[in-house]
Amino acid sequence: MNVEIITIPKVEDHRGNLAIIEKNVLPFDVKRVYYLFDVPSNAHRGGHAHKEQSEFLVALSGSFDVVLKDGSTTKTVTLNKPDKGLLIRTNIWRELENFSSGAVCLVLASDVFSEDDYIRNYDKFISFLSNS
């Protein structure tokens, strides 16, 4: 599956830790940053795939599950450490669920928003994969 857990470099200090995401941490230049917060525990986010864009998800606070599908395999990754992130490359369906109270999901994206890059229907995603 075209995903990877990446350890974010950190500086540990008695005053608190500092995590650092610089150009050499991710395999793409960051062109968009957004975050999800105040997500009800029973809510689902995501529910799409990207044709060209890659994303890097980090649980800055709390935890949540990322359900990943590549058309043949399903994998669930729990994000719950602010020094570990999930790199999701192209053509991977993602759904975010089971948000803990106070969870914050940071997303660093390889491109600016473009609706044309999204596949928002799972059947269309499967069809897109078979035609690629």
Side-chain angles (χ1 to χ4, degrees):
M1 189 171 286
N2 211 8
V3 300
E4 177 184 355
I5 296 289
I6 295 177
T7 299
I8 300 167
K10 68 179 176 181
V11 177
E12 295 185 65
D13 188 295
H14 69 277
R15 300 169 295 168
N17 297 332
L18 174 69
I20 304 154
I21 302 175
E22 294 179 320
K23 188 172 184 144
N24 62 342
V25 173
L26 299 177
F28 60 81
D29 291 333
V30 176
K31 296 195 178 163
R32 181 168 59 129
V33 176
Y34 62 94
Y35 51 95
L36 306 170
F37 63 100
D38 291 341
V39 179
S41 61
N42 61 347
H44 290 77
R45 298 296 313 231
H48 64 268
H50 289 285
K51 300 172 193 171
E52 301 292 330
Q53 181 173 280
S54 294
E55 292 182 331
F56 184 64
L57 283 63
V58 181
L60 292 182
S61 179
S63 65
F64 53 89
D65 293 334
V66 185
V67 180
L68 304 155
K69 300 176 183 179
D70 66 3
S72 59
T73 306
T74 299
K75 177 180 183 176
T76 299
V77 175
T78 299
L79 293 178
N80 59 6
K81 296 179 180 168
D83 65 338
K84 303 272 190 227
L86 176 64
L87 175 63
I88 306 174
R89 294 181 180 89
T90 59
N91 301 327
I92 299 291
W93 186 266
R94 83 281 322 269
E95 298 169 4
L96 284 68
E97 59 187 27
N98 297 325
F99 284 82
S100 70
S101 178
V104 178
C105 172
L106 174 71
V107 182
L108 306 176
S110 66
D111 210 345
V112 297
F113 176 82
S114 171
E115 186 61 37
D116 291 340
D117 187 52
Y118 282 76
I119 305 171
R120 296 186 185 271
N121 175 283
Y122 190 74
D123 291 336
K124 289 181 181 178
F125 168 66
I126 296 300
S127 177
F128 177 81
L129 291 178
S130 63
N131 293 324
S132 297

